[in-house]
Amino acid sequence: MPCERKPMRYGHSEGHTEVCFDDTGKFIVTCGNDGDVRIWEGLDDDDPKFITVGEKAYSLALKNGKLVTAGSNNTVQIHTFPEGDPDGILTRFTTNATHVTFNSSGTRVAAGSSDFMVKVVEVSDSSQQKTLRGHDAPVLSVTFDPKDEFLASSSCDGSVVVWNMEEQTQVVSWPLLQKTNDISNAKSLCRLAWQPRMAKFLAVPVEAKLHLYERGSWEHVSTLSDDLLTQPINVLAWSPCGQFLAAGCVGGLLTVWDVNSKLCVERQKHEKGFTVCGLAWHPSGSQIAYTDTEGCLGLLDGLTKKPTKDYDDLFDDDDDRLMDEQLSDTNSPVKNPVTGDDDDDDFLVPATGRVRNRGAILDDENSLDTGSLKLGQERFGDDDDAGSTVVPVTAPLGPLRPVYEGPLPTPPQKAFQPGSTPAHLTHRFMMWNSVGIVRGYNDEQDNAIDVEFHDTAVHHAMHLTNSLGHTMADVSQEAVLLACPSTDELASKLQCLHFSSWDTNKEWMVDLPKGEDAKALCLGQGWAAVATSALMLRLFSIGGVQREIFSLPGPVVCVAGHGEQLLIIYHRATGFDGEQALGVQLLQFGRRKRQLINGEPLPLSHGSYLSWLGFTAEGTPCYVDSDGVVRMLNRSLGSTWTPVCNTRDTCKSKSDHYWVVGVHENPQQLSFQQILFHNHYSFLSSCGYDIDEDGQNQAQKEQQELLMKMFALSCKLEREFRCVELAEMMTQNVVTLAIRYASRSRRMVLAQRLSELALEKANQTPEEGLQEQEEEPEYLTNILDNMTSSKKSTPLSGSAGKQNKSLVLKPLAPRPKSKTQSTLLHMTGTKAASKKTQENTEPTPVQQKPADVPPPALPADSTENKRPKTGFQLWLEESRKSIAADHPDLEETDVIKEAMGRFRTLSAEERLERGVGGCEGEDGGVWDACCLGTLSSVLVSEGTKH
């Protein structure tokens, strides 16, 4: 059954769509999420008639000049066809109807709803209704028995039920499906289909197979399957003769079986791999119309027609040769049907007693579809399932060609212009970007192009007569670029309206060589580029001089320009299993021309295609795929692509869609995105552009603020390793604040690691470190002040039970020459810092004082003078004499160290007895921090090692 797959046409907005033929086969009728019913006079109809039936249209059925639709207003409406005049409401539900269908005579309509009910309504008298109750979830589909006795329905409750309509009772119920709570969550629409005419079988899609149930006995008599069919079957449709059964799948595969032989006679892959959600067979049996979840309409043409008594028409010449090499077409014996059941009279055997090779019908060398897979001899095995007819073979069949069962090649996506709508529309956007909008009109009244600018100061709006038939456009601050395909008489042309020119000639045009058509174009700063069908890219100056011409590695998909940058996307190879194999080139035209990216693969979401390409307003390459994922070039990581947004996550419903026209690198909520979105400053600066230093400083400030907030959050979540990772992205000054916050939060191990990190930063960039330490920005101080401790304060001992004021570690006044090292010593007192202090710090008068002399008092106006003594300081004053008596040779530093060791060994009860209590404060400062602060003061003054 070789057939031709016609190119798909855009019909409705994204979402569920359905399709059917009228009784004569003249019209194709579709409905979709936009609430319209479109009436097509064939697939080539560029202006189909439409009827608006509501906000959304979920299902439709057509019979005897009556059109029935299920809309979002919870009603089932009826219209005349093809006039489209409203003819009343058949029935109502409490929620939306999900599926409608006619019986074979067109006198009844059945409808299923999300309120779990099925209704059967008389078309001539809508008051005559029967309600079938029994499902426990929304109804997926309904179908009439051709003899008008039974009705079958499927539901999200996992069941397929056969009803006796007169008695309104369930005849049989099969638990075949996965249970869900709503149709939107169901794996499959599970569109049931009853065999026409003979009414012998009820076909039920179950996962990736078709179950056939016999009418009357309701037994499972056969299963239709295919090795390449791996995803759930969504919809079914019987051929008018009742011999063939077509199925559309979630993965976009269209399959046709011969029910009698149970062989797959046709496979076709959706050109973009989208889910097939609507399927209808032409009354003649020669075509199958189908729709997908993107709102597009497709057609399979050239299918085998209904069997007739002229049996020679069913077989081609190749089959005759395979049948008998000694018999020619002129002397071959008369072929007679097998005697037996009339229902199976289309299974034919020649008079010689040898079975005709049905594989020859599939293996037509003249098939127009190269993507259709054909089955070989191994598919003709014995099948013991009931309901099949097998005729003994008395002679060996002829050899068949080998069968390919590998991955299917993906049709390459066509070249397109980012920011444009489909070319077949009569009114369309040829370009919509951050500069302006180019609209194209091609109807009976006018064939013109309108150009509008968002900023009217750039240029006034323009109205152009489109006498050349331009189909693609781009607009910039300097010009409008247009191109048209070639015709039999005229070459493909490139036209530029250079309105920013200072002379009087503001337009130029170029004819491309014969056989070379423009496929994609773009404008940059002072240049224009066009990619052609000859795998060429031609670069023109904005005044019309051809500056460069070079070959492309593959067919172009789209191009984009910004400033001196040109981004090219092309097909680098053939993709498989729904994947597009795209490559990317990034060129820069400046004083020194260079290629930044050369032929690297362009990453896309699984099974998606490229839907938009361009640059951010700041000049960073960016693109969007059909899954709504926005990716941006990360120049800091070897020109990799980083996903920065998923537009599908912000859609309220499946029908919502973001049509991208531009991207701005605005401040984001995540620090990594903040850093990524400001890489353009360094790139532009390296290219010689003047950058906004205030904007760059503001960006750095926002980055550091967000890093500090994430650091505080990680501290509260006890993610200390993550805290260090965040600190690695901070500046040295902010790391100092992180150390202070870690000390407040009683995380001394983290503070120690951060101090080591700060020292590394200071050693790597000593000049920057000195500059940062000279003045602490006010906004960083505010960040720290707004941070709250991760632990609550603990009341100190004492009869009054009052709390002491909080203890805050603050860096001491910078005495050493190296301000960076001084601050680190004040904060932590690490060994490394002490060592640095010994090397770089001058001895102070404090070194000449005896060990028992306390440190000099702070100035009277100092905040340290107003703070009460800590518990450790009180205990040290009491214990100093005993420690000096036990160890008379100890220096002051060693005395403090010994005191710290003894203080740690004291239990809480001993501290209460001595009246020193704890050293916790309101802000979470602990006695270790107090001791550390005291020790660091001595280390700075003494210059000893810790």
Side-chain angles (χ1 to χ4, degrees), residues 251-320:
L253 190 65
L254 292 159
T255 311
V256 181
W257 286 272
D258 185 327
V259 177
N260 296 324
S261 63
K262 295 191 294 186
L263 294 176
C264 177
V265 296
E266 186 63 57
R267 295 190 196 93
Q268 289 286 344
K269 181 72 175 177
H270 187 290
E271 62 185 36
K272 294 182 179 178
F274 295 145
T275 296
V276 177
C277 57
L279 203 63
W281 212 300
H282 192 276
S284 67
S286 61
Q287 295 179 333
I288 293 178
Y290 61 96
T291 55
D292 60 25
T293 52
E294 296 295 313
C296 295
L297 169 66
L299 193 69
L300 301 183
D301 195 11
L303 296 161
T304 300
K305 297 184 179 181
K306 176 182 176 181
T308 64
K309 293 302 180 180
D310 187 9
Y311 301 119
D312 285 321
D313 294 339
L314 294 177
F315 304 95
D316 56 17
D317 294 339
D318 292 341
D319 186 38
D320 290 331

Side-chain angles (χ1 to χ4, degrees), residues 146-340:
K147 298 181 180 180
D148 218 15
E149 182 180 353
F150 302 107
L151 182 138
S153 63
S154 60
S155 170
C156 291
D157 60 13
S159 67
V160 174
V161 176
V162 177
W163 307 81
N164 186 311
M165 290 189 291
E166 294 301 323
E167 300 177 2
Q168 298 177 235
T169 58
Q170 292 187 6
V171 178
V172 64
S173 178
W174 299 295
L176 300 174
L177 313 176
Q178 182 176 345
K179 294 183 179 181
T180 57
N181 60 351
D182 188 69
I183 292 178
S184 60
N185 299 324
K187 284 187 176 181
S188 165
L189 293 175
C190 194
R191 293 291 200 242
L192 309 176
W194 222 305
Q195 187 181 26
R197 295 177 53 197
M198 297 165 283
K200 187 175 182 180
F201 300 118
L202 171 65
V204 181
V206 181
E207 295 294 337
K209 297 181 180 180
L210 285 179
H211 289 190
L212 297 182
Y213 292 87
E214 188 177 30
R215 185 184 186 277
S217 66
W218 311 117
E219 293 181 356
H220 177 209
V221 294
S222 183
T223 299
L224 303 179
S225 61
D226 186 60
D227 293 340
L228 295 182
L229 193 58
T230 58
Q231 299 199 49
I233 296 174
N234 214 30
V235 289
L236 301 177
W238 285 89
S239 64
C241 65
Q243 178 185 351
F244 300 103
L245 183 58
C249 307
V250 170
L253 190 65
L254 292 159
T255 311
V256 181
W257 286 272
D258 185 327
V259 177
N260 296 324
S261 63
K262 295 191 294 186
L263 294 176
C264 177
V265 296
E266 186 63 57
R267 295 190 196 93
Q268 289 286 344
K269 181 72 175 177
H270 187 290
E271 62 185 36
K272 294 182 179 178
F274 295 145
T275 296
V276 177
C277 57
L279 203 63
W281 212 300
H282 192 276
S284 67
S286 61
Q287 295 179 333
I288 293 178
Y290 61 96
T291 55
D292 60 25
T293 52
E294 296 295 313
C296 295
L297 169 66
L299 193 69
L300 301 183
D301 195 11
L303 296 161
T304 300
K305 297 184 179 181
K306 176 182 176 181
T308 64
K309 293 302 180 180
D310 187 9
Y311 301 119
D312 285 321
D313 294 339
L314 294 177
F315 304 95
D316 56 17
D317 294 339
D318 292 341
D319 186 38
D320 290 331
R321 288 195 297 272
L322 289 172
M323 171 184 164
D324 195 336
E325 295 178 357
Q326 297 179 355
L327 297 177
S328 66
D329 291 339
T330 57
N331 61 9
S332 60
V334 179
K335 293 105 178 171
N336 297 318
V338 179
T339 58

Side-chain angles (χ1 to χ4, degrees), residues 542-819:
I542 199 66
V545 179
Q546 183 166 289
R547 292 166 44 185
E548 300 284 347
I549 177 173
F550 57 88
S551 295
L552 297 175
V556 68
V557 177
C558 58
V559 295
H562 184 279
E564 297 176 346
Q565 300 178 85
L566 171 62
L567 188 63
I568 308 169
I569 306 298
Y570 60 91
H571 291 285
R572 60 184 178 87
T574 300
F576 288 89
D577 288 341
E579 303 291 337
Q580 297 287 335
L582 304 182
V584 56
Q585 284 187 339
L586 179 59
L587 310 176
Q588 184 171 349
F589 310 114
R591 298 175 183 174
R592 185 172 62 91
K593 300 176 183 178
R594 54 178 177 164
Q595 187 166 252
L596 303 178
I597 301 178
N598 181 20
E600 295 183 7
L602 185 75
L604 296 172
S605 302
H606 178 67
S608 67
Y609 58 90
L610 185 66
S611 61
W612 184 84
L613 179 77
F615 290 81
T616 67
E618 293 77 13
T620 304
C622 187
Y623 67 94
V624 185
D625 61 31
S626 58
D627 281 358
V629 179
V630 183
R631 292 178 176 87
M632 185 182 295
L633 183 66
N634 188 351
R635 302 181 193 271
S636 64
L637 197 60
S639 297
T640 55
W641 298 91
T642 301
V644 296
C645 176
N646 189 340
T647 59
R648 294 288 177 89
D649 292 343
T650 58
C651 292
K652 296 180 180 179
S653 65
K654 291 184 177 180
S655 62
D656 289 347
H657 179 74
Y658 280 88
W659 193 57
V660 180
V661 295
V663 177
H664 286 262
E665 298 180 53
N666 292 325
Q668 299 296 308
Q669 297 299 318
L670 297 179
S671 61
F672 177 74
Q673 288 184 337
Q674 263 282 15
I675 296 172
L676 175 65
F677 288 159
H678 291 99
N679 283 338
H680 61 272
Y681 282 111
S682 58
F683 171 74
L684 295 176
S685 177
S686 65
C687 295
Y689 288 94
D690 292 333
I691 62 174
D692 182 6
E693 294 184 0
D694 293 338
Q696 184 179 17
N697 295 335
Q698 179 66 20
Q700 293 176 351
K701 169 186 172 182
E702 293 171 355
Q703 291 173 11
Q704 298 304 313
E705 285 181 348
L706 288 172
L707 286 171
M708 195 62 200
K709 291 176 182 177
M710 293 180 67
F711 177 88
L713 180 61
S714 299
C715 271
K716 293 183 178 181
L717 296 176
E718 299 182 356
R719 296 278 188 175
E720 296 190 1
F721 188 88
R722 185 182 300 169
C723 291
V724 176
E725 292 178 327
L726 292 169
E728 290 175 353
M729 294 186 282
M730 297 177 181
T731 63
Q732 181 182 340
N733 206 5
V734 182
V735 172
T736 303
L737 285 178
I739 297 173
R740 188 185 303 176
Y741 184 82
S743 300
R744 283 186 177 184
S745 304
R746 305 173 63 180
R747 303 190 182 279
M748 305 311 297
V749 175
L750 175 60
Q752 173 72 17
R753 289 187 175 274
L754 293 178
S755 65
E756 296 172 0
L757 176 63
L759 184 60
E760 292 178 5
K761 287 180 175 287
N763 292 335
Q764 292 173 359
T765 56
E767 295 179 359
E768 294 179 4
L770 286 172
Q771 184 178 359
E772 287 181 359
Q773 290 297 329
E774 289 178 1
E775 182 179 356
E776 185 178 273
E778 183 180 354
Y779 72 88
L780 291 178
T781 307
N782 294 337
I783 295 175
L784 187 59
D785 292 340
N786 293 334
M787 304 281 187
T788 56
S789 177
S790 59
K791 295 188 178 181
K792 296 182 178 180
S793 59
T794 306
L796 298 177
S797 61
S799 57
K802 295 182 180 178
Q803 296 179 347
N804 271 343
K805 293 183 179 179
S806 61
L807 297 175
V808 181
L809 286 178
K810 294 186 177 179
L812 300 177
R815 294 181 183 175
K817 294 181 180 179
S818 175
K819 299 179 181 180

